[in-house]
Amino acid sequence: NAGVTQTPKFRVLKTGQSMTLLCAQDMNHEYMYWYRQDPGMGLRLIHYSVGEGTTAKGEVPDGYNVSRLKKQNFLLGLESAAPSQTSVYFCASSSSGRADIQYFGAGTRLSVL
Amino acid sequence: DAKTTQPPSMDCAEGRAANLPCNHSTISGNEYVYWYRQIHSQGPQYIIHGLKNNETNEMASLIITEDRKSSTLILPHATLRDTAVYYCIVRVDKAAGNKLTFGGGTRVLVKP
């Protein structure tokens, strides 16, 4: 039981490049989330999904897109990376009955030069 | 969600109990108190939560004052692996799709 797995773990991009972060969970959770964490700060919600085929904006959605084509996967895309998107990205999942108890992945460290 | 206040940092001796305070004086009747922690370079980890009764699990104990305006997370026998940032979060439970709001947290250093 791997829990929440994020790939890649590290990535360096140049400004304007695009990339997709993958999150996979094996707990059959309905809800999935993408957060970002900047140095010395708490986590901020980017987008979330309450089920396959559905997504919703969080508090900092600009510059990101997401897709939830399969229940176990939640993809975060950056179409045109900017230095302001340098951050650590965390994916999380929870059951629909317990959105308050979230299980997090190990994070993806992204640098945009 | 109610705002929480935690001390920015604290040290604890290995093997001793660590008592982490959290103030949430504006908590409302349907809001729970949650504790998560984040070990360096890892994702946050759920620890425990409660409404008004004291709670205990294999990781920690949660003591909530009778007026619910503050709480204390207790790590009964701190180990070096408990060094982490501990976050106290107040929110309505089970709300669909709601984010977790992580404030500054308390940076706990367990020393040998």
Side-chain angles (χ1 to χ4, degrees):
Chain A
N1 190 337
V4 178
T5 303
Q6 293 183 233
T7 53
K9 291 184 169 52
F10 303 93
R11 186 71 185 269
V12 178
L13 290 179
K14 294 181 179 179
T15 298
Q17 287 185 318
S18 63
M19 78 163 294
T20 300
L21 281 65
L22 171 65
C23 177
Q25 54 94 4
D26 61 4
M27 296 174 281
N28 201 33
H29 283 164
E30 293 80 10
Y31 295 174
M32 297 186 74
Y33 314 80
W34 276 107
Y35 293 87
R36 62 176 285 175
Q37 184 174 35
D38 299 320
M41 297 181 65
L43 280 71
R44 292 182 293 171
L45 184 66
I46 305 172
H47 286 279
Y48 65 95
S49 168
V50 299
E52 184 178 321
T54 70
T55 62
K57 294 180 179 180
E59 54 184 319
V60 288
D62 294 342
Y64 305 96
N65 56 76
V66 288
S67 64
R68 183 99 180 267
L69 299 180
K70 292 182 178 181
K71 184 178 183 178
Q72 63 268 33
N73 295 337
F74 195 28
L75 306 180
L76 178 70
L78 286 74
E79 290 187 348
S80 179
S84 60
Q85 294 177 305
T86 293
S87 190
V88 181
Y89 292 85
F90 290 101
C91 176
S93 71
S94 71
S95 67
S96 58
R98 296 307 319 230
D100 50 335
I101 300 176
Q102 298 180 15
Y103 297 84
F104 286 80
T108 294
R109 282 149 186 78
L110 175 66
S111 293
V112 183
L113 306 178
Chain B
D1 295 337
K3 179 179 170 58
T4 62
T5 303
Q6 299 178 251
S9 65
M10 62 182 294
D11 293 345
C12 176
E14 186 180 19
R16 296 289 186 94
N19 296 290
L20 283 62
C22 180
N23 182 286
H24 32 79
S25 58
T26 60
I27 192 170
S28 58
N30 63 345
E31 288 182 313
Y32 285 64
V33 180
Y34 296 84
W35 285 84
Y36 279 73
R37 73 179 182 183
Q38 187 173 22
I39 296 171
H40 182 63
S41 299
Q42 297 183 22
Q45 177 189 23
Y46 165 79
I47 300 173
I48 198 168
H49 77 282
L51 181 63
K52 48 185 168 183
N53 297 324
N54 297 338
E55 302 288 344
T56 296
N57 63 19
E58 66 278 4
M59 291 182 67
S61 295
L62 174 61
I63 308 297
I64 302 174
T65 59
E66 193 169 342
D67 63 7
R68 304 210 320 124
K69 292 185 177 182
S70 65
S71 60
T72 301
L73 179 74
I74 301 173
L75 307 177
H77 305 287
T79 70
L80 299 180
R81 288 177 294 180
D82 291 322
T83 291
V85 178
Y86 287 77
Y87 297 98
C88 173
I89 299 168
V90 173
R91 55 163 277 165
V92 177
D93 79 323
K94 304 179 184 180
N98 274 6
K99 65 182 185 295
L100 292 173
T101 301
F102 290 82
T106 296
R107 189 171 297 275
V108 174
L109 176 61
V110 180
K111 296 182 175 180

